[in-house]
Amino acid sequence: MVFSEPKTPRSRRSIALDPATVAALKTHKAQQGEERILLGLGKARGDDQVFATAEGNPIQPQSVSQAFERLVKSAGVPRIRFHDLRHTYATLALASGMKPWDLSDRLGHSSVAFTLDVYRHALLSDQQDASDAAAAFILGERNIQ
């Protein structure tokens, strides 16, 4: 593996995490620390990866993909690639009401237009709701929220 600088300045970003994700990451970090101590490796280095071998080395990408494929198969769900989780997240985020510009920032896209081009399908199902809401507002039956 080769580590390098991100492709664009937008690629280096911070994103907000929900409390459940933060708790899961803290639990994972604690478990990693316990594992290192049990293996006699001492405390983690400051540059350890979030998901790493017990020694703190990066996990090979193909190992992650293979483990994911095994999980998908054992769960009996339709086969998808590990990278497809990103697309699933983006689609569900838009469908749940996340604003396209917020999703674009989270994904590190170069523009909101790109995000909308890729994930427009997630918004199409809202066409009837959007039409009904606009008509209700125009007819004075509903206020802007």
Side-chain angles (χ1 to χ4, degrees):
M1 278 189 292
V2 176
F3 287 87
S4 62
E5 289 297 314
K7 290 189 289 188
T8 68
R10 273 183 73 98
S11 296
R12 184 177 297 278
R13 62 196 177 279
S14 296
I15 59 170
L17 297 175
D18 62 279
T21 300
V22 171
L25 288 169
K26 285 181 177 180
T27 298
H28 175 70
K29 184 177 183 176
Q31 289 171 339
Q32 279 183 319
E34 291 169 11
E35 185 177 278
R36 286 183 60 85
I37 290 169
L38 286 172
L39 293 171
L41 299 171
K43 292 191 176 197
R45 302 182 314 253
D47 62 343
D48 278 347
Q49 304 293 308
V50 173
F51 299 99
T53 66
E55 296 81 17
N57 297 320
I59 297 174
Q60 295 293 322
Q62 66 270 19
S63 297
V64 174
S65 295
Q66 290 167 355
F68 180 72
E69 284 182 29
R70 288 191 300 273
L71 286 171
V72 167
K73 187 174 183 177
S74 70
V77 295
R79 184 186 177 281
I80 62 171
R81 300 167 303 147
F82 184 73
H83 182 76
D84 292 333
L85 292 175
R86 176 180 167 91
H87 299 301
T88 301
Y89 166 78
T91 300
L92 293 174
L94 285 174
S96 73
M98 183 181 286
K99 304 291 186 244
W101 49 87
D102 291 332
L103 179 63
S104 185
D105 287 344
R106 290 180 73 80
L107 296 176
H109 286 165
S110 58
S111 71
V112 176
F114 178 80
T115 304
L116 289 172
D117 284 346
V118 175
Y119 297 106
R120 185 170 188 270
H121 66 277
L123 300 172
L124 291 178
S125 63
D126 294 338
Q127 288 295 315
Q128 188 62 54
D129 290 340
S131 176
D132 293 346
F137 176 73
I138 291 168
L139 297 172
E141 299 169 2
R142 184 169 148 191
N143 295 324
I144 294 178
Q145 297 178 3

